[in-house]
Amino acid sequence: MVHPLGRTSMGRQRIEIRRIDNKERRQVTFTKRRGGLFKKASELALLTGASVAVVVFSPAKHVYAFGHPSVDAVLRSYASVPGEAAAVAPVPVHGGSGGEDVDLLGLRLAADDTGAQVAAEHARMRDVAARIVQAKAGRRFWWEADVDALGEAELLEFFTALKKLRDNVGRHANALLAPQPPPLPLQQKQRRRR
């Protein structure tokens, strides 16, 4: 295999699946393969809608977890958690690839909050679309829309569209008002074509 800079490389090689003796190489392989495992789990969850939970314990006794919708939700759906009523402090778990400690409970709450905001925005956009359709039903032209019913983002878009319309109308009017050259007699037209 030829490298872009002209050097030859070994390319992608098949390796024997066995324990790696070199500690540094083992750590690098663990980190890369953990990221690949989490990526595959994420793709599986997104493509199929499956509930997925992956928990990995490193040789250094670190815990890495990925879950869709969350590790806790997947585990709770298949088995009851002993002592669930008791308040237990969340165990620090490492995120997918950064190696830093992550507060999973805080992340889950933030994700739930973001999901609620997205759902509210979708509902608002459906409402705006319905109002636009309703406004179009009684009017002939889009620029007759009820601007009081539009939000800030829609008003900015509406303003931009109105400016574009004004510029197009101005260009068209200027073209119509520009002095036209007098029409050529038929004989001159025929000579020009030759």
Side-chain angles (χ1 to χ4, degrees), residues 76-162:
R76 282 191 176 95
S77 67
Y78 293 102
S80 62
V81 179
E84 187 167 325
V88 178
V91 176
V93 177
H94 293 285
S97 61
E100 67 279 354
D101 287 343
V102 176
D103 174 21
L104 286 181
L105 180 61
L107 286 176
R108 280 189 213 106
L109 292 175
D112 291 344
D113 185 43
T114 303
Q117 289 174 354
V118 168
E121 184 64 19
H122 280 297
R124 188 183 75 76
M125 290 305 291
R126 280 192 300 270
D127 183 47
V128 168
R131 281 193 264 161
I132 289 172
V133 168
Q134 185 180 13
K136 282 183 177 180
R139 297 180 179 89
R140 277 186 55 183
F141 303 108
W142 63 265
W143 54 82
E144 294 176 343
D146 181 18
V147 292
D148 294 331
L150 298 176
E152 187 177 326
E154 291 86 14
L155 277 175
L156 186 60
E157 202 170 311
F158 187 72
F159 177 73
T160 304
L162 281 176

Side-chain angles (χ1 to χ4, degrees), residues 3 7 12 63 69 72 91 97-98 108 118 146 177 184 193:
H3 194 270
R7 299 180 300 232
R12 188 171 167 177
V63 180
D72 288 342
V91 176
S97 61
R108 280 189 213 106
V118 168
D146 181 18
L177 295 175
L184 295 173
R193 287 186 188 161

Side-chain angles (χ1 to χ4, degrees), residues 30-39 54 56 63-66 93-102 104 107:
F30 173 81
T31 303
K32 286 182 180 181
R33 294 219 173 202
R34 183 191 70 228
L37 176 66
F38 288 167
K39 182 178 180 185
V54 178
V56 180
V63 180
Y64 299 90
F66 169 82
V93 177
H94 293 285
S97 61
E100 67 279 354
D101 287 343
V102 176
L104 286 181
L107 286 176

